[in-house]
Amino acid sequence: MSSSTKIQVRGKLLPPARNHRMIHSVVYRVSTKRHHRESSVLSSESCPSSDSVPTKTDKSQFCCGNVDGKFGRFGGKFVPETLMSRLKDLEEEFNFLLSDHKFQDELTTALRDYVGRETPLYFAGRLTEHYKNIARTIGGGPEIYLKREDLSHCGSHKINNALAQAMIARRLGCSRVVAATGAGQHGVATAAACAKLSLDCTVYMGAPDIEKQFSNVLSMKLLGAQVKSVEGTFKDASSEAIRHWVENLDSTYFLLGTVVGPHPCPIMVREFQSVIGKETRRQANQLWGGKPDVLVACVGSGSNALGLFHEFVEDEDVRLVGVEAAGLGLDSGKHSATLAVGHVGVYHGSMSYLLQDDQGQILRPHSVGVGLEYPGVGPEISFLKETGRAEFYTATDQEAIQACMRLSRLEGIIPALETSHALAFLDKLIPTLRDGAKVIVNCSGRGDKDLDTLIQRGISFPNC
């Protein structure tokens, strides 16, 4: 596709800058005119305008996307030619491993004995009672459960994917792994997986995030990883990690921690995180003999949300609720609410919703939960929004902090500030639900990493 190609979005032609092709000349250091293309030509059929968005859910695309890794108009491979063969090799290996019993048995054993799966589905009784008292309901009110991913090894859901991809890196003959991290959770998980599998590990991290999440930085170094500081936030760290990868393709594996990037990366991460939803279905059936009514997860770029949601996308009686970071407010310009106010474009190798200005330049995201500070979401999350299968809302920094303190005091569980955005939305969600409704929140990470942030914000830890 030439650099002059324009893409129809929301009924108007967008300039080439909207597609962020400059990221390839900056990140990949190749001529976009000569090397930029997608695995299949981006035509009006493969990239429809908003007028051609399907009115009915395409269940087959919810399951796996199409053969090119596209979900509706989202996804694809917007990469230089030099990466096409490497991505093709990765896709072939991934597809083989999905049905390779030896690999699956090894992964299942590692998830059980090393990661600590399955994680509990915990009934949050005092939190449930808290909302019942606020509503002053006569009946029992909705019941709130937490999927305890914070109890996984390394303290978050990130280890599910990091371990599986590190195993793939070893199979592909790579001796080194490079990754980018925001809150440090993916960095710690990747460092742990590489230590276990005897792989060299380099993690790129934004300088402000290193300061905020220094305990995770120390953990990464203790686990043997080299941590490299980058000016900027997670998006900038991701760009540096991609540069490193492109310059060392023969020996290095880029271990992406979330559901963004070129195909097959988003589908791989979602597949390895889908263990969360599979366990949740089984546990719900054991606890009350049915399915949950509502699933709630925070949304940065989407890995923990899809990990919980994907198992249930074809269960149309199960509501899927994602909560983005409204930061200081949507009108402030300091937020990470891509789905609330973003537009469609191409960034880091795939098409999705992005935070961008009128000239198509990427905006700097903000959230008190630094793991949510990414200016885009994954293609499958974008598809869930556009088809209406999932609902997306926002919570501010202050609402997330209050929710963190509430869960800590009521349940003795300190959630990550990222997770706290999902918990904050319960204030608005619970009063709208019937008595006995079963609500599951993905407690995607623990919050000890955020204690310095809370102290720096002058939190005096009063009674909730």
Side-chain angles (χ1 to χ4, degrees), residues 200-382:
D200 291 338
C201 180
T202 300
V203 179
Y204 287 87
M205 192 171 185
D209 297 338
I210 287 178
E211 182 178 348
K212 294 175 184 176
Q213 308 288 323
F214 195 65
S215 63
N216 276 341
V217 175
L218 293 178
S219 295
M220 284 183 261
K221 291 182 176 180
L222 180 61
L223 291 164
Q226 182 181 10
V227 181
K228 292 192 175 183
S229 177
V230 176
E231 289 300 319
T233 59
F234 175 53
K235 71 179 181 68
D236 306 292
S238 297
S239 295
E240 287 299 321
I242 292 171
R243 286 189 182 96
H244 182 119
W245 176 46
V246 171
E247 293 169 357
N248 300 275
L249 285 175
D250 291 338
S251 63
T252 302
Y253 183 94
F254 179 38
L255 206 161
L256 193 60
T258 191
V259 289
V260 299
H263 178 65
C265 298
I267 289 178
M268 288 176 58
V269 177
R270 181 258 284 157
E271 180 63 28
F272 294 135
Q273 292 294 359
S274 66
V275 64
I276 301 171
K278 293 172 183 175
E279 288 180 2
T280 298
R281 180 185 291 277
R282 182 169 61 252
Q283 292 167 324
N285 191 58
Q286 291 171 347
L287 286 172
W288 62 80
K291 295 179 290 187
D293 295 290
V294 187
L295 302 175
V296 186
C298 64
V299 175
S301 45
S303 64
N304 95 90
L306 275 184
L308 180 64
F309 292 171
H310 184 69
E311 173 69 16
F312 295 92
V313 291
E314 294 188 16
D315 296 279
E316 295 184 355
D317 54 342
V318 178
R319 289 175 62 186
L320 311 178
V321 176
V323 185
E324 294 188 291
L328 303 182
L330 297 182
D331 294 333
S332 71
K334 295 183 177 182
H335 58 78
S336 298
T338 303
L339 294 169
V341 299
H343 302 280
V344 175
V346 174
Y347 187 61
H348 283 166
S350 68
M351 178 175 286
S352 67
Y353 278 97
L354 303 171
L355 290 176
Q356 53 190 323
D357 63 19
D358 290 340
Q359 300 303 312
Q361 300 303 305
I362 291 295
L363 298 174
R364 182 170 182 170
H366 163 82
S367 173
V368 69
V370 297
L372 303 181
E373 287 185 329
Y374 185 75
V377 295
E380 193 168 354
I381 289 286
S382 297

Side-chain angles (χ1 to χ4, degrees), residues 28-40:
Y28 301 123
R29 297 179 183 173
V30 297
S31 169
T32 58
K33 289 185 178 180
R34 290 189 295 112
H35 291 288
H36 172 77
R37 71 177 177 92
E38 196 187 12
S39 57
S40 60

Side-chain angles (χ1 to χ4, degrees), residues 158-203:
K158 292 294 187 179
I159 189 66
N160 303 325
N161 166 68
L163 182 59
Q165 286 208 55
M167 290 168 59
I168 292 178
R170 184 180 61 180
R171 286 179 59 97
L172 291 174
C174 296
S175 60
R176 304 170 62 198
V177 166
V178 62
T181 191
Q185 301 285 55
H186 175 60
V188 172
T190 300
C194 288
K196 173 176 168 49
L197 299 175
S198 189
L199 298 168
D200 291 338
C201 180
T202 300
V203 179

